[in-house]
Amino acid sequence: MGPEGTVELKPTSRGDFAALRGLFDDPSFAGWGSTAGQMDDAEIRAKYLGERLPQVECFLVLSSSLPVGLAQLHEDTARGGGMDLILLPTARGRGVGSASVHTLVERARTVHQWAYVTVDPDLTNPDGIRFWQAVGFAPVHRCPGTPERAPYLLMRRPLDLEAG
């Protein structure tokens, strides 16, 4: 099933602060990317406005030109990296996530030439784990929690560098 409306990943820039602030003000974003609960303005600017390139690429997820989420690719090794994706509840179940993952996987494969990509949904997020499985990620192992992070499931998707 394709997404409802168009889905675009737009690299974040300084001009996107208001859109990011709006996303992080939504209760569904509470605790994502920060252990302190709701993220403050300085942390949003430091983490998500393009200042961490090339190691971390941040993208606004746009659906029908409206910001509905945030995605990231981050290099872990020379052969692969991680992916993060969070969507507003109103964007879930509409194909926006699957379309976003497809775009990120293609970028990881063609631009970065990674051999694999990983994700790490919290064990308390069974819907997230099912989503990542549905878009081609397989469980690798369960990771224990830390003071900064709840227990999570490391998942991996190999990338066929010959595909196109």
Side-chain angles (χ1 to χ4, degrees):
M1 175 176 100
E4 297 174 16
T6 60
V7 175
E8 176 188 357
L9 297 186
K10 176 192 172 296
T12 60
S13 66
R14 292 178 195 266
D16 294 318
F17 175 75
L20 287 168
R21 176 76 272 161
L23 291 171
F24 279 98
D25 284 346
D26 189 277
S28 66
F29 273 63
W32 195 82
S34 175
T35 58
Q38 186 178 29
M39 196 171 295
D40 66 30
D41 292 356
E43 194 171 9
I44 290 171
R45 286 186 176 95
K47 285 186 168 185
Y48 302 111
L49 291 179
E51 296 174 13
R52 296 192 301 170
L53 291 172
Q55 296 84 7
V56 179
E57 296 179 304
C58 300
F59 304 90
L60 275 176
V61 178
L62 305 176
S63 178
S64 300
S65 300
L66 298 174
V68 297
L70 180 64
Q72 293 182 301
L73 283 177
H74 46 91
E75 185 176 324
D76 290 336
T77 70
R79 298 212 8 96
M83 177 186 303
D84 294 304
L85 175 67
I86 185 169
L87 299 174
L88 294 173
T90 57
R92 297 175 190 163
R94 298 181 15 223
V96 173
S98 297
S100 298
V101 169
H102 175 75
T103 300
L104 291 168
V105 163
E106 281 303 299
R107 181 169 183 80
R109 186 181 64 77
T110 61
V111 173
H112 299 293
Q113 298 184 338
W114 291 346
Y116 66 88
V117 67
T118 61
V119 295
D120 57 357
D122 288 350
L123 290 174
T124 57
N125 183 4
D127 290 339
I129 292 169
R130 280 191 295 276
F131 167 77
W132 290 114
Q133 286 177 314
V135 294
F137 287 79
V140 174
H141 66 271
R142 292 172 181 255
C143 300
T146 67
E148 297 83 32
R149 174 79 201 263
Y152 62 95
L153 180 64
L154 181 66
M155 303 177 79
R156 183 174 171 148
R157 177 175 168 172
L159 306 180
D160 180 359
L161 296 178
E162 301 301 318

